Amino acid sequence: MPSATILGTGAALPAKVVTNADLEKLVETSDQWITERTGIKERRHASSEETTSSLSVLASRRALEMAGIGPRDLDLIICSTISPDMPLPSTASFIQRELGARSCCAFDLAAACSGFLFGVTVADQFIRTEKAKYALVIGAELLSRYLDYKDRATCVIFGDGVAAGVLGPAATPSGILAAEMHTNGAYADHLYIPAGGTVKPASCETVRARDHYIKMRGNELFKVAVRSLEEVSRRVMEQAKVCPDQLDLFIPHQANQRITEAVRGRLGVSSEKVYSNISRVGNTSSASIPICLDECVRSGRIQRGDLILMAAFGAGVTWGALLMRW
Ligand code: UT7
């Protein structure tokens, strides 16, 4: 069965840039600490008019245009987000409506920073089994809405952004060669938002306790991230019988430049083959990999026939990798 491939990409970033100097005015931090410990210099924050779905629609239209298909050609819409427009209904429903797509299957997927790769892997199954011809997968996060400006360990890291990919049947031998998805709930409380769900419904008390904000045990996650990203990257390369020096491009989730560097070193991938934009956008969770992908496609960094490895790690904890021939 032919695999899926990515026919078009598109991104939408909010206009507002928040620099490390801006954050120095809000929390006890410094440009030097943020730069040295994370590689981040600036990130984007959405305005109050921008929503997860409004930016998703912009990114999706750009991806559809590149793919050369219209919204009514879509058979499947997956929106990966942990910062949805609202708890109910899915953000994918709003995106479907605004795009003017048919009443195709549309749902949200919650796998945090791994969500775009999970979404592409799910869409690939639909396309391989001919349940869908064209799928839209979106990674969309407005994490600034969940940041606590009394917690310097998280508010400096995350940023807002959205990017989308349109998938369709690949002309062999291109397309998705191997993919893996994993979750280990043992680390579920290492990165989470405690309130707003059934465990702690919103109340004056949860607001007072700042329980609607992201909490992270970053230092412990760091080691799990490096190990998981290395292992899963090796596994997909083994499945496709590819070795690291055959890669044309490695796009890791932009969690921390030190994580990227550690994984790159362990895999033995040369520096010029690793893409990084964390200095400009920070950690945008499930939008991280598709924003990178879109930048690489539009700048010509990705060429037809290139062998591309993508690997992600996030809350859950979740992790996964995907190897494709462009
Ligand atoms: O994308 C989803 C998955 N996420 C991850 O994988 C996150 C992985 N973790 C990380 O990226 C890093 O752990 C962080 C960037 C979050 C933190 O860096 P770290 O080197 O692990 O710092 P730490 O948490 O061990 O803290 C070291 C020190 C602490 O001070 P003391 O206790 O040594 O006095 C922190 O309070 O750095 C302090 N610190 C800061 N100082 C200045 C933490 N955040 C800041 C800050 N500015 N923004």
Side-chain angles (χ1 to χ4, degrees):
M1 276 175 289
S3 68
T5 195
I6 298 176
L7 303 169
T9 61
L13 297 178
K16 187 181 172 197
V17 174
V18 177
T19 64
N20 291 347
D22 293 328
L23 292 172
E24 282 176 356
K25 293 174 200 145
L26 297 174
V27 281
E28 185 65 39
T29 190
S30 64
D31 174 45
Q32 189 187 355
W33 191 96
I34 302 170
T35 307
E36 286 176 4
R37 304 309 292 166
T38 71
I40 301 168
K41 298 297 281 184
E42 59 188 42
R43 70 289 292 146
R44 304 294 180 95
H45 281 186
S47 70
S48 55
E49 287 80 44
E50 287 167 318
T51 63
T52 306
S53 66
S54 72
L55 289 173
S56 295
V57 169
L58 285 178
S60 299
R61 288 201 179 115
R62 289 170 185 153
L64 287 163
E65 190 184 356
M66 188 189 288
I69 65 163
R72 299 191 68 76
D73 296 317
L74 293 171
D75 305 303
L76 174 66
I77 299 173
I78 301 175
C79 178
S80 161
T81 187
I82 46 160
S83 43
D85 278 13
M86 48 186 85
L88 187 74
S90 73
T91 302
S93 302
F94 295 118
I95 297 168
Q96 184 196 53
R97 183 178 71 187
E98 291 308 309
L99 284 176
R102 289 181 294 112
S103 54
C104 62
C105 172
F107 61 89
D108 285 4
L109 184 156
C113 308
S114 310
F116 182 76
L117 290 193
F118 276 31
V120 169
T121 307
V122 170
D124 180 40
Q125 302 302 311
F126 274 72
I127 292 167
R128 277 178 200 264
T129 53
E130 298 182 356
K131 295 281 180 210
K133 185 171 182 195
Y134 295 116
L136 173 66
V137 180
I138 305 148
E141 305 292 0
L142 263 58
L143 292 177
S144 65
R145 306 278 215 264
Y146 296 90
L147 293 178
D148 185 350
Y149 291 98
K150 288 194 184 302
D151 179 8
R152 64 182 181 172
T154 51
C155 71
V156 303
I157 290 170
F158 296 102
D160 297 344
V162 175
V166 170
L167 280 85
T172 41
S174 67
I176 295 164
L177 305 175
E180 281 207 7
M181 305 185 279
H182 298 274
T183 301
N184 183 355
Y187 295 98
D189 60 359
H190 278 47
L191 177 47
Y192 72 134
I193 298 170
T198 58
V199 173
K200 279 192 191 182
S203 67
C204 295
E205 183 42 44
T206 59
V207 171
R208 255 195 305 272
R210 312 183 80 75
D211 277 347
H212 293 273
Y213 294 124
I214 292 173
K215 319 276 179 202
M216 180 166 80
R217 286 156 73 173
N219 196 278
E220 290 152 70
L221 280 179
F222 193 104
K223 295 158 206 152
V224 188
V226 172
R227 207 172 48 237
S228 308
L229 287 165
E230 182 200 355
E231 278 173 16
V232 78
S233 296
R234 286 196 187 283
R235 286 168 66 101
V236 293
M237 285 192 282
E238 271 165 31
Q239 279 167 38
K241 300 187 173 45
V242 161
C243 44
D245 57 9
Q246 289 176 276
L247 295 175
D248 293 296
L249 185 64
F250 175 39
I251 302 180
H253 165 53
Q254 309 288 298
N256 184 318
Q257 190 57 32
R258 289 186 296 131
I259 293 180
T260 294
E261 195 45 42
V263 175
R264 183 203 69 73
R266 284 170 175 232
L267 289 174
V269 178
S270 56
S271 299
E272 67 277 8
K273 289 184 176 175
V274 181
Y275 193 74
S276 170
N277 65 5
I278 194 169
S279 63
R280 290 181 281 113
V281 296
N283 180 344
T284 57
S285 188
S286 65
S288 158
I289 286 180
I291 293 172
C292 290
L293 200 55
D294 185 60
E295 289 179 358
C296 290
V297 171
R298 286 176 194 270
S299 66
R301 175 88 187 256
I302 290 179
Q303 295 294 323
R304 187 153 300 285
D306 279 357
L307 189 61
I308 302 163
L309 172 67
M310 297 172 247
F313 174 87
V317 293
T318 55
W319 68 103
L322 192 139
L323 187 72
M324 68 178 294
R325 176 79 62 192
W326 198 260

